[in-house]
Amino acid sequence: MDTYLDNGDMQFDLLGDVKKISGLREIIQRINIRLKVKKGSFPYNPDLGSEISSLDINNLDNIKIKALIEDALNGIEEVTVIDVEKMVDYKEKILYLTVYLNISNETVLLEVKNKIWEER
């Protein structure tokens, strides 16, 4: 069981208690955190996160993206990355990923949108 986060903020129920999540929703939340946090940016666990933000916007390769996602999700035993699809908004410098996962023998589609590139 974990604390339910929405846009990085804890959520509370009507009684003011912290909302909790578990099961598949908890695993998906952990995956989202690992994919959106820049690897090395969390001081208490420098291995947490992904290196997706290090990708060159002009040289995106599905194989490389899938490898970076697999690396970020390493250690979540219930999760296997099946495939990744990408779409790039070059004008806004946004990478849209559709990640196909097997989570505890259930196929899950996860969409990730991040403005990840700075001027190079």
Side-chain angles (χ1 to χ4, degrees):
M1 188 170 293
D2 198 1
T3 301
Y4 175 66
L5 302 174
D6 186 20
N7 290 326
D9 295 324
M10 290 188 304
Q11 296 301 302
F12 300 91
D13 63 20
L14 295 174
L15 299 175
D17 295 325
V18 174
K19 285 186 181 179
K20 300 287 185 182
I21 60 170
S22 60
L24 183 60
R25 291 185 70 197
E26 177 187 3
I27 295 170
I28 291 171
Q29 178 172 287
R30 288 179 18 215
I31 291 167
N32 271 311
I33 290 169
R34 288 182 180 219
L35 293 180
K36 291 180 180 181
V37 169
K38 184 177 179 179
K39 191 169 193 169
S41 67
F42 187 61
Y44 300 107
N45 184 354
D47 292 327
L48 179 76
S50 74
E51 295 180 296
I52 293 173
S53 62
S54 69
L55 293 171
D56 180 353
I57 191 170
N58 299 306
N59 187 20
L60 293 174
D61 178 322
N62 276 8
I63 295 170
K64 177 70 172 172
I65 293 170
K66 184 179 178 192
L68 290 176
I69 290 171
E70 288 172 333
D71 181 55
L73 302 183
N74 187 28
I76 305 177
E77 296 177 13
E78 310 93 327
V79 177
T80 304
V81 180
I82 299 169
D83 198 11
V84 177
E85 293 177 0
K86 71 172 182 332
M87 189 180 87
V88 181
D89 180 340
Y90 288 96
K91 182 179 177 188
E92 298 297 324
K93 298 183 176 143
I94 298 174
L95 175 64
Y96 298 91
L97 295 176
T98 302
V99 184
Y100 298 88
L101 302 165
N102 182 308
I103 302 175
S104 301
N105 296 318
E106 188 172 333
T107 301
V108 174
L109 180 132
L110 181 69
E111 293 183 343
V112 179
K113 171 192 165 197
N114 255 339
K115 186 167 185 162
I116 58 174
W117 294 283
E118 297 176 15
E119 293 296 325
R120 293 185 187 254

